[in-house]
Amino acid sequence: SGIWNNRMSHGFRGISVCPALGGPVFLIRNTCWDIVGRTNDAGSMHKMGDTAEGGPVYVYHESVHGAYGTDAEGPAQTNSGLTRIIARNNAWHVDRYVIEFYDDPGTLSFDYNCLFTTDSDNLGRFVKWNNTVYGSFSSYTSGTGQEAHGQSHNMEILDWQGPTTGNFALKAGSTLINAGQAIPGINSGLEDPAWNYAGSAPDIGAVETGGCPHAAIREDISP
């Protein structure tokens, strides 16, 4: 099954794969901005868990912006049991944990993503992985072996043209351009050439510079 090319804003959760029974499940080129948390309960792009025997879940080419002070996360585990998750070419800019997993994610594979948090409470919350808190991108990568080709910087300022209104097109000179991984059937080797990557490699995020149609052409899903 697949969930692709959707635009979401001003919600508590983006997409739930909790559970993801009967997989594989593909989440492709979805965008979300202004995720809004609730009192003592962070909002997130993905609700995950309760899937120890389901999945796998493939997360490709997302652009997510959780504005400062919104208590927003990227993929977040809410129920016990993580299925296999493969994440590539995603851009997650949030306000709390970029990733929050408290079970052992030994079968997960995250790479070629750009991860950033403003962490408004200044608690050093970058990633929670197997219930271990990593306060920086470097400690996360060295401690888990993930994101060998990943990046971490403020995408709101450096990369996106207008993330607060859902415009995730990349600025000229963005380091996300041509920085992703080529994935057959997702961004290369497709019958419709408009969906293949346009440069020397795919861009990180939902919008391919000079090429791929993207979620900006779709109707918003918002309250």
Side-chain angles (χ1 to χ4, degrees):
S1 59
I3 301 171
W4 61 281
N5 207 29
N6 295 286
R7 285 165 55 86
M8 297 160 280
S9 68
H10 301 85
F12 177 58
R13 304 282 188 206
I15 300 170
S16 174
V17 283
C18 178
L21 300 177
V25 177
F26 291 87
L27 311 178
I28 307 171
R29 294 196 187 277
N30 297 296
T31 63
C32 188
W33 67 99
D34 284 351
I35 300 166
V36 181
R38 301 184 299 206
T39 302
N40 299 320
D41 195 0
S44 64
M45 174 58 179
H46 294 301
K47 174 182 170 69
M48 293 181 161
D50 196 22
T51 57
E53 298 179 0
V57 177
Y58 297 89
V59 189
Y60 296 141
H61 285 291
E62 287 187 343
S63 293
V64 175
H65 177 258
Y68 182 84
T70 55
D71 212 20
E73 299 186 328
Q77 182 183 0
T78 60
N79 298 69
S80 61
L82 283 173
T83 188
R84 178 164 171 76
I85 303 167
I86 299 90
R88 296 288 188 276
N89 305 336
N90 301 293
W92 294 323
H93 174 122
V94 296
D95 185 52
R96 199 169 180 269
Y97 290 110
V98 185
I99 304 164
E100 185 176 14
F101 294 145
Y102 55 80
D103 278 352
D104 182 2
T107 62
L108 275 59
S109 177
F110 283 55
D111 202 3
Y112 291 91
N113 304 298
C114 189
L115 314 177
F116 182 79
T117 178
T118 58
D119 190 9
S120 61
D121 290 332
N122 298 311
L123 298 177
R125 298 176 301 196
F126 186 80
V127 166
K128 181 182 286 187
W129 194 268
N130 196 17
N131 221 30
T132 298
V133 175
Y134 296 96
S136 66
F137 181 76
S138 60
S139 65
Y140 163 59
T141 57
S142 62
T144 66
Q146 303 291 323
E147 295 295 349
H149 306 91
Q151 303 183 33
S152 180
H153 55 260
N154 190 322
M155 289 168 275
E156 178 180 339
I157 294 174
L158 298 175
D159 300 287
W160 291 322
Q161 293 188 15
T164 59
T165 57
N167 181 359
F168 291 102
L170 298 176
K171 299 176 181 179
S174 166
T175 61
L176 304 186
I177 295 174
N178 300 333
Q181 183 180 45
I183 307 170
I186 300 297
N187 53 41
S188 67
L190 295 163
E191 293 183 7
D192 183 350
W195 285 96
N196 293 321
Y197 65 86
S200 58
D203 295 350
I204 292 176
V207 181
E208 176 70 21
T209 303
C212 180
H214 54 82
I217 65 173
R218 296 289 298 275
E219 182 180 357
D220 293 351
I221 301 175
S222 57

PDB file of all heavy atoms in Angstrom, residues 164-188:
ATOM      1  N   THR A 164       6.756  27.837   5.956  1.00  0.00           N
ATOM      2  CA  THR A 164       5.616  28.157   6.818  1.00  0.00           C
ATOM      3  C   THR A 164       4.299  28.179   6.043  1.00  0.00           C
ATOM      4  O   THR A 164       3.223  28.144   6.640  1.00  0.00           O
ATOM      5  CB  THR A 164       5.812  29.504   7.526  1.00  0.00           C
ATOM      6  OG1 THR A 164       5.964  30.529   6.543  1.00  0.00           O
ATOM      7  CG2 THR A 164       7.043  29.466   8.424  1.00  0.00           C
ATOM      8  N   THR A 165       4.380  28.220   4.719  1.00  0.00           N
ATOM      9  CA  THR A 165       3.190  28.148   3.877  1.00  0.00           C
ATOM     10  C   THR A 165       3.189  26.891   3.010  1.00  0.00           C
ATOM     11  O   THR A 165       2.391  26.783   2.070  1.00  0.00           O
ATOM     12  CB  THR A 165       3.081  29.389   2.976  1.00  0.00           C
ATOM     13  OG1 THR A 165       4.269  29.511   2.173  1.00  0.00           O
ATOM     14  CG2 THR A 165       2.919  30.646   3.811  1.00  0.00           C
ATOM     15  N   GLY A 166       4.084  25.969   3.307  1.00  0.00           N
ATOM     16  CA  GLY A 166       4.115  24.703   2.581  1.00  0.00           C
ATOM     17  C   GLY A 166       4.884  24.718   1.287  1.00  0.00           C
ATOM     18  O   GLY A 166       4.765  23.783   0.487  1.00  0.00           O
ATOM     19  N   ASN A 167       5.704  25.749   1.056  1.00  0.00           N
ATOM     20  CA  ASN A 167       6.530  25.795  -0.151  1.00  0.00           C
ATOM     21  C   ASN A 167       7.900  25.209   0.176  1.00  0.00           C
ATOM     22  O   ASN A 167       8.754  25.885   0.748  1.00  0.00           O
ATOM     23  CB  ASN A 167       6.664  27.232  -0.653  1.00  0.00           C
ATOM     24  CG  ASN A 167       7.499  27.335  -1.921  1.00  0.00           C
ATOM     25  OD1 ASN A 167       8.008  26.331  -2.429  1.00  0.00           O
ATOM     26  ND2 ASN A 167       7.654  28.538  -2.434  1.00  0.00           N
ATOM     27  N   PHE A 168       8.109  23.948  -0.205  1.00  0.00           N
ATOM     28  CA  PHE A 168       9.345  23.254   0.118  1.00  0.00           C
ATOM     29  C   PHE A 168      10.296  23.170  -1.072  1.00  0.00           C
ATOM     30  O   PHE A 168      11.236  22.361  -1.058  1.00  0.00           O
ATOM     31  CB  PHE A 168       9.035  21.856   0.644  1.00  0.00           C
ATOM     32  CG  PHE A 168       8.369  21.869   1.993  1.00  0.00           C
ATOM     33  CD1 PHE A 168       7.000  21.675   2.125  1.00  0.00           C
ATOM     34  CD2 PHE A 168       9.110  22.100   3.144  1.00  0.00           C
ATOM     35  CE1 PHE A 168       6.392  21.686   3.371  1.00  0.00           C
ATOM     36  CE2 PHE A 168       8.507  22.113   4.395  1.00  0.00           C
ATOM     37  CZ  PHE A 168       7.147  21.912   4.510  1.00  0.00           C
ATOM     38  N   ALA A 169      10.072  23.996  -2.092  1.00  0.00           N
ATOM     39  CA  ALA A 169      11.046  24.100  -3.167  1.00  0.00           C
ATOM     40  C   ALA A 169      12.366  24.595  -2.594  1.00  0.00           C
ATOM     41  O   ALA A 169      12.395  25.395  -1.653  1.00  0.00           O
ATOM     42  CB  ALA A 169      10.537  25.048  -4.252  1.00  0.00           C
ATOM     43  N   LEU A 170      13.463  24.138  -3.163  1.00  0.00           N
ATOM     44  CA  LEU A 170      14.779  24.441  -2.614  1.00  0.00           C
ATOM     45  C   LEU A 170      15.366  25.715  -3.220  1.00  0.00           C
ATOM     46  O   LEU A 170      15.219  25.981  -4.414  1.00  0.00           O
ATOM     47  CB  LEU A 170      15.733  23.272  -2.866  1.00  0.00           C
ATOM     48  CG  LEU A 170      15.322  21.952  -2.209  1.00  0.00           C
ATOM     49  CD1 LEU A 170      16.295  20.839  -2.601  1.00  0.00           C
ATOM     50  CD2 LEU A 170      15.250  22.086  -0.699  1.00  0.00           C
ATOM     51  N   LYS A 171      16.032  26.481  -2.382  1.00  0.00           N
ATOM     52  CA  LYS A 171      16.740  27.665  -2.832  1.00  0.00           C
ATOM     53  C   LYS A 171      17.965  27.262  -3.645  1.00  0.00           C
ATOM     54  O   LYS A 171      18.542  26.186  -3.436  1.00  0.00           O
ATOM     55  CB  LYS A 171      17.198  28.499  -1.638  1.00  0.00           C
ATOM     56  CG  LYS A 171      16.083  29.024  -0.751  1.00  0.00           C
ATOM     57  CD  LYS A 171      16.666  29.748   0.459  1.00  0.00           C
ATOM     58  CE  LYS A 171      15.589  30.265   1.385  1.00  0.00           C
ATOM     59  NZ  LYS A 171      16.158  30.947   2.586  1.00  0.00           N
ATOM     60  N   ALA A 172      18.385  28.138  -4.542  1.00  0.00           N
ATOM     61  CA  ALA A 172      19.625  27.905  -5.269  1.00  0.00           C
ATOM     62  C   ALA A 172      20.775  27.813  -4.275  1.00  0.00           C
ATOM     63  O   ALA A 172      20.865  28.604  -3.336  1.00  0.00           O
ATOM     64  CB  ALA A 172      19.862  29.044  -6.258  1.00  0.00           C
ATOM     65  N   GLY A 173      21.626  26.842  -4.450  1.00  0.00           N
ATOM     66  CA  GLY A 173      22.754  26.664  -3.559  1.00  0.00           C
ATOM     67  C   GLY A 173      22.483  25.788  -2.356  1.00  0.00           C
ATOM     68  O   GLY A 173      23.383  25.534  -1.552  1.00  0.00           O
ATOM     69  N   SER A 174      21.250  25.307  -2.199  1.00  0.00           N
ATOM     70  CA  SER A 174      20.939  24.411  -1.086  1.00  0.00           C
ATOM     71  C   SER A 174      21.790  23.147  -1.167  1.00  0.00           C
ATOM     72  O   SER A 174      21.962  22.560  -2.234  1.00  0.00           O
ATOM     73  CB  SER A 174      19.463  24.032  -1.129  1.00  0.00           C
ATOM     74  OG  SER A 174      19.192  22.932  -0.274  1.00  0.00           O
ATOM     75  N   THR A 175      22.294  22.711  -0.015  1.00  0.00           N
ATOM     76  CA  THR A 175      23.088  21.480   0.021  1.00  0.00           C
ATOM     77  C   THR A 175      22.214  20.227  -0.076  1.00  0.00           C
ATOM     78  O   THR A 175      22.749  19.114  -0.133  1.00  0.00           O
ATOM     79  CB  THR A 175      23.930  21.401   1.302  1.00  0.00           C
ATOM     80  OG1 THR A 175      23.066  21.398   2.447  1.00  0.00           O
ATOM     81  CG2 THR A 175      24.895  22.559   1.391  1.00  0.00           C
ATOM     82  N   LEU A 176      20.898  20.403  -0.097  1.00  0.00           N
ATOM     83  CA  LEU A 176      20.007  19.262  -0.291  1.00  0.00           C
ATOM     84  C   LEU A 176      19.864  18.886  -1.763  1.00  0.00           C
ATOM     85  O   LEU A 176      19.408  17.789  -2.090  1.00  0.00           O
ATOM     86  CB  LEU A 176      18.619  19.559   0.286  1.00  0.00           C
ATOM     87  CG  LEU A 176      18.549  19.956   1.761  1.00  0.00           C
ATOM     88  CD1 LEU A 176      17.100  20.070   2.213  1.00  0.00           C
ATOM     89  CD2 LEU A 176      19.312  18.973   2.636  1.00  0.00           C
ATOM     90  N   ILE A 177      20.268  19.784  -2.652  1.00  0.00           N
ATOM     91  CA  ILE A 177      20.185  19.515  -4.088  1.00  0.00           C
ATOM     92  C   ILE A 177      21.235  18.470  -4.466  1.00  0.00           C
ATOM     93  O   ILE A 177      22.411  18.582  -4.105  1.00  0.00           O
ATOM     94  CB  ILE A 177      20.378  20.810  -4.898  1.00  0.00           C
ATOM     95  CG1 ILE A 177      19.225  21.787  -4.613  1.00  0.00           C
ATOM     96  CG2 ILE A 177      20.459  20.512  -6.394  1.00  0.00           C
ATOM     97  CD1 ILE A 177      19.406  23.153  -5.252  1.00  0.00           C
ATOM     98  N   ASN A 178      20.813  17.448  -5.181  1.00  0.00           N
ATOM     99  CA  ASN A 178      21.690  16.368  -5.659  1.00  0.00           C
ATOM    100  C   ASN A 178      22.381  15.627  -4.520  1.00  0.00           C
ATOM    101  O   ASN A 178      23.468  15.071  -4.699  1.00  0.00           O
ATOM    102  CB  ASN A 178      22.760  16.904  -6.622  1.00  0.00           C
ATOM    103  CG  ASN A 178      22.168  17.569  -7.851  1.00  0.00           C
ATOM    104  OD1 ASN A 178      21.056  17.250  -8.271  1.00  0.00           O
ATOM    105  ND2 ASN A 178      22.907  18.504  -8.430  1.00  0.00           N
ATOM    106  N   ALA A 179      21.763  15.593  -3.328  1.00  0.00           N
ATOM    107  CA  ALA A 179      22.410  14.990  -2.160  1.00  0.00           C
ATOM    108  C   ALA A 179      21.753  13.691  -1.705  1.00  0.00           C
ATOM    109  O   ALA A 179      22.174  13.101  -0.715  1.00  0.00           O
ATOM    110  CB  ALA A 179      22.420  15.982  -1.001  1.00  0.00           C
ATOM    111  N   GLY A 180      20.719  13.232  -2.422  1.00  0.00           N
ATOM    112  CA  GLY A 180      20.000  12.036  -2.010  1.00  0.00           C
ATOM    113  C   GLY A 180      20.533  10.770  -2.639  1.00  0.00           C
ATOM    114  O   GLY A 180      21.549  10.763  -3.342  1.00  0.00           O
ATOM    115  N   GLN A 181      19.831   9.685  -2.381  1.00  0.00           N
ATOM    116  CA  GLN A 181      20.181   8.376  -2.918  1.00  0.00           C
ATOM    117  C   GLN A 181      19.199   7.999  -4.023  1.00  0.00           C
ATOM    118  O   GLN A 181      17.984   8.135  -3.867  1.00  0.00           O
ATOM    119  CB  GLN A 181      20.136   7.311  -1.827  1.00  0.00           C
ATOM    120  CG  GLN A 181      20.551   5.917  -2.303  1.00  0.00           C
ATOM    121  CD  GLN A 181      20.484   4.895  -1.190  1.00  0.00           C
ATOM    122  OE1 GLN A 181      19.513   4.849  -0.433  1.00  0.00           O
ATOM    123  NE2 GLN A 181      21.514   4.078  -1.072  1.00  0.00           N
ATOM    124  N   ALA A 182      19.722   7.518  -5.153  1.00  0.00           N
ATOM    125  CA  ALA A 182      18.869   7.060  -6.240  1.00  0.00           C
ATOM    126  C   ALA A 182      18.193   5.750  -5.840  1.00  0.00           C
ATOM    127  O   ALA A 182      18.858   4.802  -5.430  1.00  0.00           O
ATOM    128  CB  ALA A 182      19.686   6.873  -7.503  1.00  0.00           C
ATOM    129  N   ILE A 183      16.859   5.715  -5.957  1.00  0.00           N
ATOM    130  CA  ILE A 183      16.074   4.549  -5.566  1.00  0.00           C
ATOM    131  C   ILE A 183      15.246   4.111  -6.770  1.00  0.00           C
ATOM    132  O   ILE A 183      14.313   4.802  -7.180  1.00  0.00           O
ATOM    133  CB  ILE A 183      15.130   4.877  -4.386  1.00  0.00           C
ATOM    134  CG1 ILE A 183      15.908   5.492  -3.223  1.00  0.00           C
ATOM    135  CG2 ILE A 183      14.386   3.619  -3.937  1.00  0.00           C
ATOM    136  CD1 ILE A 183      15.028   6.050  -2.134  1.00  0.00           C
ATOM    137  N   PRO A 184      15.578   2.975  -7.372  1.00  0.00           N
ATOM    138  CA  PRO A 184      14.819   2.510  -8.539  1.00  0.00           C
ATOM    139  C   PRO A 184      13.339   2.381  -8.227  1.00  0.00           C
ATOM    140  O   PRO A 184      12.939   1.874  -7.176  1.00  0.00           O
ATOM    141  CB  PRO A 184      15.441   1.144  -8.831  1.00  0.00           C
ATOM    142  CG  PRO A 184      16.830   1.225  -8.266  1.00  0.00           C
ATOM    143  CD  PRO A 184      16.695   2.079  -7.044  1.00  0.00           C
ATOM    144  N   GLY A 185      12.510   2.870  -9.143  1.00  0.00           N
ATOM    145  CA  GLY A 185      11.064   2.808  -8.973  1.00  0.00           C
ATOM    146  C   GLY A 185      10.494   3.929  -8.136  1.00  0.00           C
ATOM    147  O   GLY A 185       9.272   4.093  -8.068  1.00  0.00           O
ATOM    148  N   ILE A 186      11.352   4.714  -7.485  1.00  0.00           N
ATOM    149  CA  ILE A 186      10.909   5.842  -6.657  1.00  0.00           C
ATOM    150  C   ILE A 186      11.335   7.163  -7.278  1.00  0.00           C
ATOM    151  O   ILE A 186      10.533   8.086  -7.437  1.00  0.00           O
ATOM    152  CB  ILE A 186      11.455   5.732  -5.218  1.00  0.00           C
ATOM    153  CG1 ILE A 186      10.977   4.442  -4.560  1.00  0.00           C
ATOM    154  CG2 ILE A 186      11.052   6.953  -4.401  1.00  0.00           C
ATOM    155  CD1 ILE A 186       9.477   4.333  -4.394  1.00  0.00           C
ATOM    156  N   ASN A 187      12.598   7.276  -7.643  1.00  0.00           N
ATOM    157  CA  ASN A 187      13.067   8.513  -8.269  1.00  0.00           C
ATOM    158  C   ASN A 187      13.938   8.260  -9.500  1.00  0.00           C
ATOM    159  O   ASN A 187      14.525   9.188 -10.033  1.00  0.00           O
ATOM    160  CB  ASN A 187      13.819   9.389  -7.260  1.00  0.00           C
ATOM    161  CG  ASN A 187      14.928   8.630  -6.553  1.00  0.00           C
ATOM    162  OD1 ASN A 187      15.648   7.842  -7.151  1.00  0.00           O
ATOM    163  ND2 ASN A 187      15.078   8.871  -5.253  1.00  0.00           N
ATOM    164  N   SER A 188      14.028   7.017  -9.940  1.00  0.00           N
ATOM    165  CA  SER A 188      14.793   6.697 -11.147  1.00  0.00           C
ATOM    166  C   SER A 188      14.193   5.466 -11.815  1.00  0.00           C
ATOM    167  O   SER A 188      13.536   4.644 -11.172  1.00  0.00           O
ATOM    168  CB  SER A 188      16.264   6.439 -10.808  1.00  0.00           C
ATOM    169  OG  SER A 188      16.402   5.255 -10.045  1.00  0.00           O
TER     170      SER A 188
END
